[in-house]
Structure formats: C-alpha cells, structure tokens
C-alpha cells in the first residue's frame, strides 16, 4: 500500500483480516504455549502455564487486540471514508459467524454503546472490562478445575506436587 501510495491496504491477506499480523502472532503464541506445556521438562512451567492458568497468554493477546483497536481509531481519523468502506468488507481479526461476534463484542456495546471504541479512553475502558472478564473466567477454571491436570493438557497426577 505504501509503494502504491494508498492509505489503506485492502489487497492480498488484508481482504480476509484487517490485522493479519496480530492474528498470526496470537495463533503462533498459542501454539507455542501448547507446545511448551506438552514438551517442557520444567515442572514449574507446567504448574504455572497449564491451560486453566493461561491468563498470561490471554492478557498478552488482549493487549495485542487493544493495540489493533488503537490502530483502527488512527486509521479512521486519517482515512475516514476509505477505512470505513474497508472495515465493512474485512473482519477485524478473522471471520466469525455473526452471532458469535455479537456475543464477543457485547461488553463493548454495553460499555461504550458503539460497535467499536473511537478514542484511547474507550480502548482503555474496553481493556479493563475484558481484563476483568478474563480474570473471572480464569478464577472459575482454577476454582472448579474444569480442565484436569492430567491427560491431554497436563501430566500424570502422581508427578503434580501440590495435589
């Protein structure tokens, strides 16, 4: 887009995602998390970063999503009409069925009463709302122990020192 002196990149992979580099990082880091859980000989790593305790990965992904939201506000300011047309054609990160997208964005719509945040303050408030949701879900998973610490995600219970 820069070589063609276009303000908004709308070709190649950008037709399928407005932020392909961020979705790529999120998918790569999730795969790395699973790889390390399954193949790490470090007991402390497994104790800290099991699937129910993957809050650090979730927080990092939330920060990346908020950075993408900040980029969207900048693009809307710099290229209002062109970017709005592009926004209608390409999904934020990856295509989701409409009802799933509505569920995921419900806190945003309830908090700021818009489809997307339009200022840094709104992005920060969205960050803290989703941060609270992620912490509550993480606490729920750890309290109820929905994902057992053996089998697919963990390692045999006789190796786990705190059970």
């Amino acid at each position: 887009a820069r070589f063609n002196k276009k303000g908004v990149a709308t070709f190649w992979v950008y037709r399928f995602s407005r932020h392909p580099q961020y979705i790529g990082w999120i998918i790569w880091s999730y795969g790395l998390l699973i790889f390390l859980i399954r193949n790490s000989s470090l007991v402390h790593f497994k104790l800290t970063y099991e699937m129910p305790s993957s809050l650090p990965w979730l927080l990092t992904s939330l920060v990346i999503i908020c950075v993408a939201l900040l980029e969207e506000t900048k693009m809307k300011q710099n290229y209002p009409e062109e970017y709005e047309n592009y926004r209608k054609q390409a999904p934020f990160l990856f295509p989701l069925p409409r009802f799933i997208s509505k569920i995921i964005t419900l806190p945003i719509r309830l908090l700021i009463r818009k489809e997307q945040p339009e200022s840094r303050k709104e992005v920060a408030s969205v960050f803290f709302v989703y941060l609270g949701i992620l912490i509550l879900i993480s606490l729920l998973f750890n309290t109820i122990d929905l994902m057992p610490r053996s089998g697919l995600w963990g390692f045999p219970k006789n190796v786990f020192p705190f059970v």
Side-chain angles (χ1 to χ4, degrees), residues 98-160:
R98 191 163 182 82
F99 74 95
I100 292 175
S101 181
K102 291 282 187 188
I103 291 169
I104 292 171
T105 59
L106 181 64
I108 294 174
R109 291 193 319 273
L110 292 175
L111 178 68
I112 62 174
R113 306 206 190 284
K114 300 175 196 168
E115 285 294 314
Q116 269 192 299
E118 296 176 356
S119 69
R120 288 178 180 220
K121 184 179 179 182
E122 289 175 351
V123 170
S125 58
V126 165
F127 173 80
F128 286 112
V129 166
Y130 281 97
L131 175 65
I133 291 169
L134 291 175
I135 289 171
L136 288 174
I137 290 171
S138 183
L139 287 173
L140 176 71
F141 269 72
N142 283 316
T143 302
I144 299 175
D145 200 19
L146 292 175
M147 304 282 282
R149 286 178 171 78
S150 62
L152 180 63
W153 303 114
F155 48 96
K157 286 189 183 276
N158 60 352
V159 177
F160 195 76

Side-chain angles (χ1 to χ4, degrees), residues 18 34 64 67 71 77 111 129 132:
R18 295 195 306 264
I34 291 173
I64 292 295
V67 167
E71 285 183 7
Q77 291 170 356
L111 178 68
V129 166

Side-chain angles (χ1 to χ4, degrees), residues 10-71:
T10 60
F11 55 90
W12 197 52
V13 73
Y14 289 95
R15 288 182 291 156
F16 308 108
S17 172
R18 295 195 306 264
H19 303 281
Q21 68 280 22
Y22 294 142
I23 191 62
W25 183 89
I26 290 170
I27 291 169
W28 170 82
S29 62
Y30 188 70
L32 182 63
L33 175 70
I34 291 173
F35 174 79
L36 289 172
I37 289 170
R38 300 286 296 150
N39 297 310
S40 179
S41 61
L42 301 172
V43 173
H44 295 295
F45 183 85
K46 289 186 177 187
L47 295 177
T48 306
Y49 293 98
E50 281 186 318
M51 296 312 279
S53 303
S54 61
L55 187 59
W57 176 81
L58 291 170
L59 294 177
T60 306
S61 297
L62 180 60
V63 167
I64 292 295
I65 290 169
C66 287
V67 167
L69 289 172
L70 287 172
E71 285 183 7

